[in-house]
């Protein structure tokens, strides 16, 4: 049985059913979830039925698509309603998405926790500002980031009907500080997240997940939607990891846990505008933006791991601001290919998405979300207008900004610590000269040289054979010396790296949407033209940084828990290597993290005391925040012009 075939269950329903189980049944819950997963299901309207055995059926009633009450899950066994089957079904089903709108593109969200330059004060890192050590290896100091909303979580959903009403805080709160109820909810989230770190994926079964779901529900009731969404993201990733989902990545769970713990920590320490960002919004509102004159840039396919598909068309305003018009729904890559030639849902425009990517629009009564999405409400009017070539104003100005400045802007947008309402884009607009293909551990990619002599690796945005990305990049790699104007999405890495989305046509006429348009060999320049040698493999300040020694310890904690990290033994050799590279804070963090993992105090009678889960979670969170900040610093520094290019 695929969990996707079950209707989503509200977090409080799952938590209540698990809490009502006897201790004996709780021990059997994980096995019951696994056993139930092998049973067949059938759907009849709003009801999904699971065949527990030949004589027993379990029903989930989901009016409106969500199981909203405990009574909506019924079982026909003799022990019902106190049986384990009802709780197992709730744990096997997806956690309900409490906001209905679909977000078509995921990014990570992690709260603004900090690092410090003094290794001796590691335990204070959760409240200090993030600053990388001043050294040549660090490349650039890591600056503070404000949080960015996780577009994959339930807290960040789009609403085209205007801002969602903000519930009034309870009487004990003030506009400047969190209320006692909010602090209590944040403490519960912290404890639940620390328990996940303590147990690891292998030990974070249905009972641990239930505690997270209960804390998420309480946080939402206390007007903390951001923290609530972070907890739901952790639960979803835990279930994917335990089910062996091929799309699961440990790095995603590291990000989600750091977001959860950091947001919970900051609720009690923030005030004013910072607290408002920490609280988050249940929905991301659209605000009026008057009349806009828009010019199409390109259209890209959107295919998500959850089985959704569609397109996103990028347009630019006359002032250079970037906007998107999207259409994403269940359907996968097949839907993405079909929707590209459907009319844009914006006013009375008859343009398809592909046509809009090369034409223009005049929009009246426009509404725009903080991340640049154009609303399609009833008051929006749009008519077709003349577009502009990439070499004409106002689009040409997008390519005039130096690559290093564009990369810094894109990094602020993609950072897990960016302002959730700060907007911005992760796109880069570059003029490049193609140099050929280079082999990597994951295959091969196209390498090019941009302004300042910076070598940039251009990778495939999506490897699905139904899309044209891979075929086009392979053809372009066979045309070294070709000069193109490109649009790509920043990939944070110690060397300049983009996923290639669109480019000017090699013939100089028009543009190419690399996910949809298929280049032909006849479109490329003469293959007998002189071949320009590819530059050496990227080096620079961050290419061989030993920061990974700390990063891997942070990641190792998540699958197996604190105890596994505590058994690693002496890490003196690793910390010595990190210090030699000019990263004393990283060395101090690694020492403190491993020491905290291994520490178990005893009472006066020699008995082991409970592990300090809060202390370990603090050390782990500081290390996770620090490694992300330094990685962003190294990425930004890699885009600086080379000495040869500066001449």
């Amino acid at each position: 049985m695929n969990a996707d075939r079950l209707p989503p269950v509200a977090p409080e329903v799952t938590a209540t059913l698990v809490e009502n189980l006897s201790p004996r049944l709780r021990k059997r819950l994980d096995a019951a979830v696994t056993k139930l997963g092998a049973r067949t299901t059938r759907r009849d309207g709003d009801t999904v039925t699971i065949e527990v055995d030949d004589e027993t059926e379990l029903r989930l009633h989901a009016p409106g698509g969500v199981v909203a009450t405990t009574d909506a899950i019924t079982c026909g066994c003799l022990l019902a309603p106190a049986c384990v089957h009802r709780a197992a079904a709730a744990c096997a089903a997806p956690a309900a998405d409490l906001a209905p709108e679909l977000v078509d593109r995921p990014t990570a969200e992690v709260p603004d926790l900090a690092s410090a330059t003094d290794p001796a004060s590691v335990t204070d890192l959760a409240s200090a500002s993030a600053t990388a050590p001043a050294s040549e290896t660090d490349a650039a100091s890591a600056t503070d980031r404000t949080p960015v909303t996780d577009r994959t979580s339930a807290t960040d959903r789009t609403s085209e009907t205007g801002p969602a009403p903000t519930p009034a805080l309870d009487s004990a709160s003030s506009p400047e500080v969190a209320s006692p109820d909010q602090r209590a909810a944040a403490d519960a989230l912290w404890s639940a997240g620390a328990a996940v770190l303590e147990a690891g994926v292998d030990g974070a079964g249905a009972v641990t997940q239930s505690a997270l779901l209960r804390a998420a529900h309480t946080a939402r009731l206390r007007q903390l939607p951001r923290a609530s969404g972070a907890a739901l993201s952790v639960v979803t990733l835990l279930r994917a990891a335990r089910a062996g989902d091929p799309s699961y990545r440990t790095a995603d769970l590291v990000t989600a846990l750091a977001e959860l713990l950091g947001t919970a920590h900051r609720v009690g320490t923030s005030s004013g505008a910072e607290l408002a960002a920490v609280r988050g919004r249940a929905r991301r509102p659209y605000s009026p933006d008057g009349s806009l004159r828009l010019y199409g840039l390109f259209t890209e396919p959107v295919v998500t791991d959850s089985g959704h598909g569609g397109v996103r068309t990028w347009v630019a305003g006359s002032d250079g601001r970037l906007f998107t018009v999207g259409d994403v729904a269940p359907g996968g890559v097949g839907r993405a290919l079909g929707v590209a030639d459907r009319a844009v849902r914006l006013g009375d425009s008859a343009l398809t998405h592909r046509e809009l990517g090369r034409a223009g629009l005049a929009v009246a009564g426009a509404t725009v979300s903080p991340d640049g999405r154009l609303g399609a409400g009833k008051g929006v009017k749009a008519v077709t207008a003349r577009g502009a070539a990439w070499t004409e104003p106002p689009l040409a100005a997008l390519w005039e900004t130096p690559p290093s400045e564009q990369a810094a802007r894109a990094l602020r947008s993609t950072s897990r610590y960016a302002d959730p309402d700060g907007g911005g884009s992760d796109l880069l607009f570059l003029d490049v000269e193609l140099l050929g293909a280079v082999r990597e551990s994951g295959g091969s990619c196209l390498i090019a040289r941009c302004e300042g002599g910076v070598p940039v690796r251009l990778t495939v945005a999506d490897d699905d054979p139904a899309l044209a990305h891979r075929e086009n990049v392979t053809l372009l790699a066979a045309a070294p010396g070709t000069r193109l104007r490109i649009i790509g999405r920043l990939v944070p890495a110690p060397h300049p790296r983009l996923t290639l989305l669109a480019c000017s046509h090699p013939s100089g006429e028009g543009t190419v949407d690399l996910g949809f348009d298929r280049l032909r060999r006849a479109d490329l320049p003469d293959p007998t033209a002189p071949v320009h040698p590819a530059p050496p493999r990227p080096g620079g300040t961050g290419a061989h940084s030993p920061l990974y020694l700390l990063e891997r310890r942070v990641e190792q904690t998540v699958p197996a828990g604190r105890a596994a990290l505590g058994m690693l033994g002496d890490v003196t050799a690793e910390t010595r290597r990190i210090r030699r590279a000019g990263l004393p804070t990283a060395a101090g963090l690694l020492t403190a993290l491993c020491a905290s993992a291994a520490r178990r105090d005893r009472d006066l009678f020699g008995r082991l005391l409970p592990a300090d889960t809060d202390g370990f979670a603090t050390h782990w969170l500081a290390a996770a925040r620090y490694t992300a900040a330094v990685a962003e610093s190294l990425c930004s520094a890699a885009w600086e012009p080379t000495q040869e290019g500066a001449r």
Side-chain angles (χ1 to χ4, degrees), residues 339-624:
V339 169
D341 293 316
R342 294 184 189 174
V344 173
R345 299 175 181 174
L346 192 65
D348 299 324
S349 172
L351 291 174
T352 67
H353 280 274
R354 299 287 305 283
E355 291 170 342
L356 175 58
R358 295 173 171 84
L361 276 180
V363 182
T367 58
V368 183
S369 73
D371 59 354
R373 300 179 195 178
L374 291 168
K378 295 181 180 179
V380 178
K381 307 296 181 183
V383 296
T384 304
R386 178 186 175 276
W390 287 3
T391 54
E392 299 174 352
L395 299 185
L398 297 172
W399 278 266
E400 295 175 358
T401 304
S404 58
E405 294 183 20
Q406 293 192 52
R409 179 210 66 217
L411 194 59
R412 288 193 296 270
S413 173
T414 59
S415 170
R416 292 170 288 179
Y417 313 102
D419 184 349
D421 292 332
S425 165
D426 56 0
L427 299 185
L428 270 69
F429 303 82
L430 305 177
D431 289 308
V432 302
E433 178 186 4
L434 303 183
L435 299 173
V438 293
R439 296 198 62 81
E440 298 183 315
S441 58
S444 62
C445 69
L446 173 61
I447 196 163
R449 182 183 290 114
C450 69
E451 179 185 339
V454 177
V456 182
R457 297 198 171 201
L458 307 175
T459 61
V460 175
D462 195 313
D463 256 322
D464 194 304
L467 301 175
H469 290 295
R470 172 61 67 183
E471 181 180 337
N472 286 333
V473 171
T474 301
L475 277 175
L476 291 174
T482 304
R483 294 182 180 274
L484 295 175
R485 181 158 278 195
I486 68 170
I487 301 176
R489 177 167 289 118
L490 178 71
V491 178
H495 55 269
R497 193 177 190 89
L498 301 176
T499 54
L500 192 56
L501 301 174
C503 69
S504 58
H505 198 281
S507 66
E509 302 259 343
T511 61
V512 180
D513 294 338
L514 291 169
F516 295 113
D517 301 323
R518 295 185 183 273
L519 291 169
R520 299 173 299 174
R521 291 193 179 276
D523 296 325
L524 303 178
D526 183 0
T528 62
V531 176
H532 293 234
R537 298 180 66 85
T541 56
H544 306 291
S545 169
L547 183 66
Y548 76 92
L549 295 172
L550 177 59
E551 289 176 326
R552 72 177 182 180
R553 300 307 184 197
V554 169
E555 288 201 3
Q556 283 175 347
T557 305
V558 172
R562 177 195 58 78
L565 191 64
M567 293 188 294
L568 291 177
D570 188 17
V571 292
T572 302
E574 294 180 9
T575 57
R576 186 181 300 116
R577 181 180 173 187
I578 294 174
R579 288 183 186 279
R580 284 201 303 264
L583 295 166
T585 302
L589 285 166
L590 178 58
T591 300
L593 178 64
C594 293
S596 178
R599 184 179 300 120
R600 288 297 302 272
D601 296 329
R602 296 179 181 270
D603 62 14
L604 295 176
F605 299 98
R607 295 172 298 192
L608 282 174
L609 295 173
D612 182 10
T613 57
D614 288 346
F616 176 72
T618 300
H619 288 291
W620 181 88
L621 181 57

Side-chain angles (χ1 to χ4, degrees), residues 33 61 75 131 183 197 220 354 414 432 460 481 552 568 624:
V33 172
H61 185 54
C75 182
T131 307
R183 294 185 182 186
L197 274 181
R220 180 166 290 274
R354 299 287 305 283
T414 59
V432 302
V460 175
R552 72 177 182 180
L568 291 177

Side-chain angles (χ1 to χ4, degrees), residues 292-378:
L292 296 174
R293 179 66 169 88
L294 305 175
Y295 300 84
L297 281 166
F298 72 100
T299 299
E300 63 171 321
V302 176
V303 182
T304 70
D305 293 335
S306 61
H308 293 82
V311 296
R312 182 188 303 109
T313 298
W314 289 82
V315 296
S318 55
D319 57 357
R321 285 189 298 161
L322 298 181
F323 304 92
T324 60
V325 181
D327 185 348
V328 181
V333 68
R335 187 178 189 280
L337 294 171
V339 169
D341 293 316
R342 294 184 189 174
V344 173
R345 299 175 181 174
L346 192 65
D348 299 324
S349 172
L351 291 174
T352 67
H353 280 274
R354 299 287 305 283
E355 291 170 342
L356 175 58
R358 295 173 171 84
L361 276 180
V363 182
T367 58
V368 183
S369 73
D371 59 354
R373 300 179 195 178
L374 291 168
K378 295 181 180 179

